[in-house]
Amino acid sequence: MSEGTTARDRRARFAAYTAFAVQGLCFASLVTQVPKMQESHHLSDATLSLVLLMVPLVAGVGSVASGALFQRLGSAPVLRVSQPAVAVTIALIGLTGDNDPALYVTVAAFGLFVGAVDASMNAQAIAVERRYGISLITGFYAVWSVAGILGGLWASLANKLDLSLFTGFAIAAAVGVAASLATGGRLYRRAEEGDGPTAEELKAAGRSVPWRPILVVGAAMAVAYLADSAISSYGAKYLDDELSASDWVAPLGYVAYQVTMVVSRAVADLAVRRSGAVRVVRIGGLVGVLGMAGVVAAPNAAVAIAAFALAGLGLSVIAPVSFSAAGRVDPTGLGVAVARVNIFNYVGFVLGAAVVGAIAPLSADHGLRIAFIVPTALILVVFATAKGFAVSSQVGDPLEPPLRAGRSSRHDPGSRARAGS
């Protein structure tokens, strides 16, 4: 910990942890109730796929739009407005009943505010990390996953108690709003966040960061997030529709997936130090393929839940190792390579929702089972790209000392909390 860390920094860190927790809780509370939402609105599988695809697409807009406000307002005002709004829109989704236009509007609003929260909470986390002078970002995503586990368990309990969608959503939303309002004032203000790199610095940095290794590790990240998107968006529906799981069991696939992600990421750094990134990525890909294959072949809900857990155990290591590999080919210290790799995060998540959503309606009996074959097969890309993770620091002319010393390393603020997925 930096010697300059103060009580103010500790308050800001706690507030940022809370933001990640609220986001994880809200996201899990919604995605684990997809089967009930479909039933409530009598949506066809094709229509449901469009509704689910809307979330990451609109979230991208929200992330970019909110990022444009940071230079003027800072990330805290954006987070303090958008995070309670995420919680409120979840409750409103529960109120839409069988009114489809109202559902589309509220889901779009949810996506917009989710994107804004993703950008602003990551900006706050990076500001905390910079003030502490040590790597803390993984801890924020661990909090996101733990809260996601709690959100999935709450959805299971709400279904067990036969609560309405609105009641279940409203209780989770109330917790989220209360936590957000209670801690929002502790976030870093604009002047405390520090300045980012100038346009000239980013342009110069962009020329010095090679694209080829980025494309290699980015491909692995994209297929990992494609599988993550399929599990997050359709895991509960798969258990409900294809495997006839009861309402309270359907959310547990997502819970199992998040539990093993937390476990795996807790030891991933140690594994990389001992065995190297290439071996860890290959093992992660192998375990991920076996888990997804288990999902496809599962004869019942219990086996599928175990398979989701196995998939999470393997897939969860790919994203952090990808970011680490990208950082090693970036001589600028400005996070240019990390930002480029993060593009594949969004690409994978959008493609996951689109591909599975497009295939699922093709078969009335086994549509999702067939659809899950696609992300299972695509994880094989991880093996083809694994050698690309054995990158070393980019060799070249160093940047001028004022640029490297005067700027802190930045992560992309639009990074998804589902990377907690």
Side-chain angles (χ1 to χ4, degrees):
M1 184 181 299
S2 172
E3 292 181 1
T5 302
T6 65
R8 171 73 184 99
D9 295 316
R10 290 190 289 274
R11 290 194 297 271
R13 182 180 181 181
F14 178 77
Y17 278 139
T18 302
F20 275 79
V22 171
Q23 185 79 327
L25 175 71
C26 290
F27 185 79
S29 297
L30 182 66
V31 298
T32 52
Q33 293 288 31
V34 166
K36 288 192 70 172
M37 290 170 54
Q38 182 180 21
E39 180 182 358
S40 174
H41 286 268
H42 309 291
L43 301 176
S44 67
D45 286 346
T47 303
L48 177 66
S49 69
L50 293 177
V51 172
L52 294 175
L53 180 59
M54 189 189 309
V55 174
L57 289 176
V58 179
V61 176
S63 179
V64 172
S66 62
L69 297 174
F70 291 170
Q71 290 295 324
R72 294 177 54 193
L73 305 176
S75 59
V78 176
L79 184 55
R80 295 181 69 178
V81 171
S82 58
Q83 185 144 71
V86 166
V88 170
T89 54
I90 288 177
L92 292 178
I93 288 172
L95 276 178
T96 55
D98 58 357
N99 187 330
D100 289 351
L103 175 68
Y104 304 149
V105 170
T106 51
V107 167
F110 171 77
L112 186 69
F113 291 126
V114 160
V117 171
D118 282 346
S120 52
M121 75 181 186
N122 275 281
Q124 284 287 317
I126 296 307
V128 170
E129 189 175 65
R130 185 164 56 250
R131 292 286 287 261
Y132 272 72
I134 57 176
S135 177
L136 295 171
I137 195 68
T138 303
F140 288 103
Y141 281 94
V143 170
W144 188 96
S145 291
V146 170
I149 293 167
L150 296 177
L153 290 174
W154 164 244
S156 175
L157 178 61
N159 290 344
K160 183 72 172 178
L161 298 175
D162 200 25
L163 299 181
S164 68
L165 267 180
F166 171 69
T167 302
F169 286 161
I171 292 173
V175 173
V177 170
S180 181
L181 295 179
T183 60
R186 303 179 183 182
L187 296 166
Y188 282 130
R189 295 181 291 275
R190 171 68 185 88
E192 296 173 302
E193 289 188 73
D195 294 325
T198 66
E200 291 76 15
E201 290 170 345
L202 286 174
K203 186 175 181 180
R207 289 193 296 266
S208 66
V209 176
W211 266 105
R212 187 177 182 280
I214 300 299
L215 293 174
V216 172
V217 299
M221 174 176 274
V223 297
Y225 273 111
L226 192 153
D228 177 83
S229 175
I231 293 170
S232 299
S233 300
Y234 290 96
K237 179 173 169 57
Y238 179 65
L239 292 172
D240 182 78
D241 287 3
E242 303 268 345
L243 300 176
S244 302
S246 58
D247 286 347
W248 71 271
V249 171
L252 297 183
Y254 182 81
V255 171
Y257 178 69
Q258 288 293 336
V259 167
T260 55
M261 289 189 83
V262 172
V263 172
S264 184
R265 286 179 172 172
V267 300
D269 287 338
L270 178 61
V272 170
R273 289 196 294 269
R274 288 188 172 182
S275 303
V278 173
R279 180 174 294 181
V280 169
V281 168
R282 284 175 173 163
I283 293 174
L286 175 61
V287 174
V289 166
L290 292 176
M292 292 300 296
V295 171
V296 172
N300 54 53
V303 173
I305 290 171
F308 281 132
L310 187 62
L313 193 67
L315 296 176
S316 61
V317 303
I318 296 173
V321 179
S322 296
F323 281 125
S324 178
R328 292 198 300 275
V329 299
D330 187 346
T332 70
L334 296 177
V336 173
V338 170
R340 289 178 179 176
V341 167
N342 191 61
I343 295 171
F344 294 89
N345 167 352
Y346 283 102
V347 169
F349 201 79
V350 171
L351 285 177
V355 169
V356 176
I359 296 174
L362 299 181
S363 172
D365 295 327
H366 302 292
L368 278 175
R369 191 184 294 273
I370 295 170
F372 273 121
I373 294 175
V374 176
T376 303
L378 287 177
I379 296 173
L380 296 175
V381 170
V382 172
F383 296 96
T385 61
K387 286 186 178 180
F389 286 80
V391 294
S392 58
S393 297
Q394 174 71 11
V395 178
D397 294 333
L399 296 175
E400 292 299 319
L403 175 58
R404 299 204 62 178
R407 302 287 183 185
S408 298
S409 176
R410 287 295 190 98
H411 293 69
D412 175 52
S415 183
R416 181 176 58 84
R418 295 157 334 293
S421 55

